[in-house]
Each structure stands twice: as C-alpha cells, then as structure tokens.
Amino acid sequence: MGPHRKALRTTAVGAVSATLVAGCVLGLAPTAQAAGGVRFVDITGDGGTVLKANVVTPAGDDGTRRHPLLVLPTSWGFPQVEYLAQAQKLANLGYVVVSYNVRGFWQSGGEIDVAGPSDTADASKVIDWALANTPADPRHIGMAGVSYGAGISLLAAAHDKRVGAVASLSGWADLTGSIYSGRTEHVQAAGVLDGASLVTGRQSPETRQVFDDFYASNLSREQELIDWGKKRSPGTYLDQLNKNGAAVMLANAWGDTVFPANQNADFYEKLTGPKRLEFRPGDHATPELPGLFGVPNDVWTDTERWFDHYLKGADNGIDREQPVELKSRSTDGYEGYPDWKSVAATERKIALGGTTTIHTNVDSGADGGIVFLSSILDQVAKLPPIASIPLLPRRWAAVWQSEKYGSAQQIRGTATLHTTVTPTKESGTLVAYLYDVGPLGLGKLVSNAPYTFHGLTPGKPFGLDLDLFSTAYDVPAGHRLALVVDTVDPLYIEHNPSGAQLTFSSPADDPSYVSIPLRKQ
C-alpha cells in the first residue's frame, strides 16, 4: 500500500491546491456583479439541513410574470458563487437562476452524501423554495451543473417530474463504472475527490469508510461498494428518467480522468427523450471551466441554447442539428452524427499474434499520465503522454504494432482488446494502451484502460474483452498504431502478487486482436 498512499497524498495536495485557488478566484470574481440582482439566501433542504444559495432574477422584473427556473447545484468542493457569472448571463436571457452549495461543503450544513438520497431530495427542496419565493414558472424548470452538480441534476430529473430539461456538464452516468472500471481502482481520481472534500467539506462516516475500503482494495466489501455506487448512478434510474421525459444534454471531455467517456456514451444511447451528446478534448470539467469566469465558451453556449429551446420554446435549431457533436483531439472542427453508433463507420483489426509473456510489478514506462495535467496538455497543446515504443522493456511490456498507414486513420469511438491471458497467480492487473507511433518510434497515447481479475486458477487461460476509453484521434499517414500491455500505472491500484507473470496468446480458433473504430473516410 506504500506507493498507493504516496500517490494519494500527491494527488490530494494537487486537488486541494486547485480547489482552493478556484474557490478563491470564483469567490472574488462575482462580487462586482452583486448589484445586478443577486440575493444570497438560506434554503432548508432535506431533514432541515441549511443550504447556502444565491438567486439571480431577470433585470427589471416587476413580479407580474413568471420566468423559467434554472437550478444549479455546485461542483464537488466549490463554493456557492461558482456559477454567478453564468447565472448573470442566464438571468439576462430571462431565467430565474438559483444556485446552491450542496450539503456537506463550505457553509452549507450537513455531511457529504456523494449524490445520495439526501442530495436528490435537496434538489427538490430547492425547487420548492424557488417556486414559493421567486417569480419562477412551475411549468418550465431546468437543472444544470458541472461534475458533481451534473450528476445531482440527472438524479433529480429522474426523481422529480417537474424537471423538464437537464444539462449535465462533465457528469457521470455510472459512478462505479467511472472510478472502478475493469474492476480496478482509479486511485488518482479518488485521491482528487477525497483530498478536495477533506479541505472544503465534511465527510460523513459512510463516505470516509467508502474511501478507506476503496484504497484498501477490500474485496470483502466489494459488492457493498458497487451497490453504494449504483444508488448514486443516474443509469440506475434510467427508466424513471425516460418516463419523466426530461430533455437531456450531456457534455464531457475525451480525457476525463474522473468520469471516462464510455459510460456517458452508453447512457446516452439508452435515453428515449430529447437528447444531445457532446465530446471535446480535455480532462474533467476543463472544457466548461472558462465559462465559469464569463469567458465565451462552446459548452455554455450550447447549454443556453438547450434551455432556450426546451424551456422557453425558442426556435433556435438545436433540435434539428445532429444530436451527437464531437471534436477530435487532433483537429479544431466539430463533427455531427445522428447517434453514437454512427460515430464509427467501420472497424479495422490489428492482429496480436504469437505468444508473449511479461513479468509484473514494474512500470514499463507506458502509462496514462497524471490526472488532470496530461489531458489538459493534450487539450491545450495536443501533447498527450508519450512513450518510446522501441525502448519499452519487453520483460515488462507486451508490444504489437500495425503496418504503416498510407492515409490518415480517423479513430472515433471505442477500441476493443480481445485476447487470451494465462496468469501464474489467482489475481492480477493489466493496463492496455493504444499509441500513435511516429517514424522515430515515439508513441502518443490514444487511449488506455485497466483490467483486474481475482480468484482465477493459476495456469488456466481465460478470454479477455476490454473496451478502451472512447476517444476521437487522427493518426497521420505514415504512422503506425501500437498496442502495449503492462501491469503498473500510477493512475490505478494494481493487484499483481510478487513474481507473477502474464502470458498473452492467440489461439487458432480464437485469435487475438485490437479492434480500431474508424470514421468514414
């Protein structure tokens, strides 16, 4: 546990610093705007918990008419003034905007419930308060938020029929599938959440126990942790959400290290009401962050258009656009698709032939980068994590490469690894990476995903099908793709016993491959 605790401390320090800086800046920035109709109020939430909130009403409101209502729960670790810049813009468009600090953080009362039943009930209480104390129209209610506020907004729409439209920005659909994908603990992501909440909030005993069991990889508590996550996952309440019919917009980043793209894409496909899916380069909440400071921003512009159409009836054309909008990590333009399955028009398989054995417990040099930092560099400078593929030590890394491509390969969607693995121990972890390899052998990370197994028979082969994290990336002509597998990555907790080995094979009746999803050329 030593390396994991060290990684946790490092990420926690980064999370605390980032949260405090953002909180201070956001806390200072809106004060000059306070004369524009901002009221700071206390709202009684579930069980009598006091929620600190602010209200912005349209300028010149004289109380003679009702306005559409937008409720904005704050992000994890952020203060109640987080959305004031956007709230002012939305109020200028004719909305009553109520933003509130979720329970357990900053000055709001209670303890952190991690989007549990109390948080969902709080959202309804805030709506009740707004209808009783503002000129809000009960027939036109929307909810939106970034990260934590996004998940709470989706959960509230599933439980409260009054919510007619939602904008979920950098949110989640499957909490367990986000930070425990492939049965592997995403330790840096958890460290960010834990560290921020320790400084800016008050963890409940249940929340503290969940974090502790997560770091300890407590298998005796695994099912309880999964059930805890399901209770806090919008996907669990999909039928209720569809029945209520709220118009749902989902906007996330390709490189989100807290809530990977896959789970939102899967959730989107199962929605039956009005819906929109947007993916852009970046990490968790970074695409929409500039908008919190009032900077013009594509995510917030589309959010405004979404609410204008579904709450105000504006004929702005957003309902006639392609509902799936993607921005590649390699280009600047947007691409529209009728649905998620149309993103990849075809697939190309790279054969993973032969038999390869690797040793565990050593980081080969291939890894997914550092939470936030790596994907932000990719977003701003198109510099994802890099590894020298020829120099990766084959004792600790299995490597397969494609031929050189004569034309650009536009990867869109979810690459899938299919192989046969023979372990020497009953437990183990592997991490698969897909690299874009240039003429000098330098590989730029396209995608990755971890996988952990427990309770298997040593020496007995098993089949592995692993979805890598969804992405949009253009491989230049003259480059190759490489599939690399190793067993240690700082992003994840690994479960490789000392001295363990993993053998990858490609049986004649079940050949191994990685399937690459490609856009229509």
Side-chain angles (χ1 to χ4, degrees):
M1 288 301 295
H4 305 319
R5 290 296 184 188
K6 184 177 180 181
L8 171 60
R9 287 196 298 271
T10 301
T11 52
V13 169
V16 169
S17 300
T19 302
L20 289 177
V21 169
C24 290
V25 173
L26 287 169
L28 293 172
T31 55
Q33 306 176 39
V38 180
R39 286 193 293 140
F40 291 89
V41 300
D42 290 350
I43 297 176
T44 302
D46 185 52
T49 297
V50 175
L51 306 173
K52 296 294 182 177
N54 54 71
V55 183
V56 187
T57 53
D61 176 72
D62 58 6
T64 62
R65 59 184 294 251
R66 295 284 179 173
H67 306 276
L69 169 66
L70 291 179
V71 174
L72 311 178
T74 53
S75 303
W76 183 273
F78 277 74
Q80 61 164 310
V81 294
E82 175 185 6
Y83 301 114
L84 270 185
Q86 283 301 321
Q88 292 279 0
K89 286 188 173 184
L90 291 164
N92 290 339
L93 293 174
Y95 295 93
V96 172
V97 185
V98 179
S99 174
Y100 71 96
N101 226 133
V102 291
R103 65 172 50 228
F105 284 102
W106 294 84
Q107 286 102 357
S108 282
E111 297 175 324
I112 298 169
D113 195 32
V114 195
S118 292
D119 283 309
T120 303
D122 283 344
S124 291
K125 292 287 188 180
V126 172
I127 292 173
D128 292 342
W129 182 93
L131 295 178
N133 295 277
T134 73
D137 187 342
R139 301 166 301 171
H140 301 101
I141 298 173
M143 290 193 64
V146 175
S147 183
Y148 196 41
I152 290 174
S153 294
L154 282 174
L155 289 163
H159 289 85
D160 194 324
K161 296 179 181 179
R162 295 175 297 180
V163 180
V166 174
S168 170
L169 313 181
S170 289
W172 73 94
D174 180 352
L175 186 58
T176 303
S178 295
I179 61 173
Y180 193 54
S181 71
R183 211 178 175 187
T184 308
E185 296 87 354
H186 297 209
V187 66
Q188 286 192 15
V192 165
L193 300 175
D194 188 13
S197 64
L198 286 172
V199 171
T200 65
R202 297 168 300 284
Q203 294 182 354
S204 67
E206 180 187 40
T207 300
R208 183 66 258 159
Q209 189 63 52
V210 164
F211 276 118
D212 289 343
D213 289 338
F214 185 86
Y215 298 137
S217 305
N218 188 347
L219 287 179
S220 67
R221 289 262 297 158
E222 182 181 37
Q223 190 57 53
E224 291 178 60
L225 292 176
I226 290 172
D227 293 341
W228 177 89
K230 283 183 177 180
K231 186 185 295 184
R232 292 158 169 80
S233 297
T236 302
Y237 311 99
L238 183 68
D239 290 344
Q240 293 174 230
L241 188 59
N242 285 334
K243 182 179 179 181
N244 290 349
V248 176
M249 172 181 157
L250 307 172
N252 285 73
W254 290 121
D256 196 320
T257 43
V258 181
F259 304 129
N262 303 49
Q263 40 95 33
N264 273 315
D266 293 342
F267 178 70
Y268 171 83
E269 285 291 88
K270 297 172 184 175
L271 291 170
T272 58
K275 58 184 180 178
R276 183 178 178 90
L277 178 67
E278 301 182 354
F279 282 125
R280 298 173 175 82
D283 205 312
H284 183 62
T286 61
E288 55 268 23
L289 183 62
L292 295 179
F293 299 95
V295 177
N297 179 270
D298 288 351
V299 185
W300 285 101
T301 296
D302 286 348
T303 297
E304 293 168 3
R305 295 174 63 226
W306 189 252
F307 286 133
D308 280 352
H309 179 74
Y310 287 103
L311 295 184
K312 295 168 63 177
D315 185 14
N316 55 20
I318 197 168
D319 57 318
R320 297 188 294 274
E321 296 174 358
Q322 296 278 36
V324 176
E325 291 281 337
L326 311 181
K327 188 176 184 181
S328 169
R329 292 162 51 201
S330 308
T331 59
D332 292 327
Y334 285 91
E335 304 164 4
Y337 300 88
D339 49 40
W340 174 250
K341 62 178 177 290
S342 298
V343 169
T346 185
E347 293 186 353
R348 172 174 289 182
K349 290 183 179 180
I350 301 172
L352 310 178
T355 299
T356 303
T357 298
I358 62 173
H359 295 254
T360 65
N361 305 113
V362 173
D363 189 342
S364 71
D367 63 57
I370 301 172
V371 65
F372 286 127
L373 177 61
S374 296
S375 290
I376 292 174
L377 283 174
D378 187 35
Q379 175 185 358
V380 174
K382 295 182 172 57
L383 288 175
I386 294 175
S388 175
I389 304 304
L391 296 181
L392 291 176
R394 270 38 176 189
R395 179 179 176 85
W396 295 295
V399 180
W400 298 267
Q401 295 193 73
S402 72
E403 76 285 357
K404 287 184 179 180
Y405 295 114
S407 60
Q409 304 294 296
Q410 296 180 312
I411 298 174
R412 300 291 186 273
T414 309
T416 301
L417 168 64
H418 174 77
T419 190
T420 297
V421 185
T422 304
T424 60
K425 304 289 185 179
E426 67 172 14
S427 296
T429 297
L430 60 90
V431 185
Y433 310 89
L434 187 65
Y435 283 98
D436 161 24
V437 185
L440 299 179
L442 286 179
K444 293 184 177 180
L445 186 66
V446 177
S447 186
N448 78 98
Y451 181 84
T452 294
F453 58 89
H454 295 288
L456 299 187
T457 302
K460 183 178 180 180
F462 67 92
L464 170 64
D465 288 288
L466 177 63
D467 286 345
L468 276 62
F469 299 136
S470 303
T471 194
Y473 182 96
D474 297 354
V475 180
H479 286 212
R480 307 173 186 265
L481 283 171
L483 192 283
V484 178
V485 180
D486 73 1
T487 63
V488 176
D489 189 307
L491 287 173
Y492 313 113
I493 293 179
E494 51 92 3
H495 298 267
N496 297 296
S498 179
Q501 299 177 31
L502 298 176
T503 297
F504 302 92
S505 57
S506 183
D509 60 346
D510 186 20
S512 296
Y513 60 85
V514 58
S515 179
I516 309 299
L518 298 175
R519 182 188 184 196
K520 184 177 181 180
Q521 300 297 310

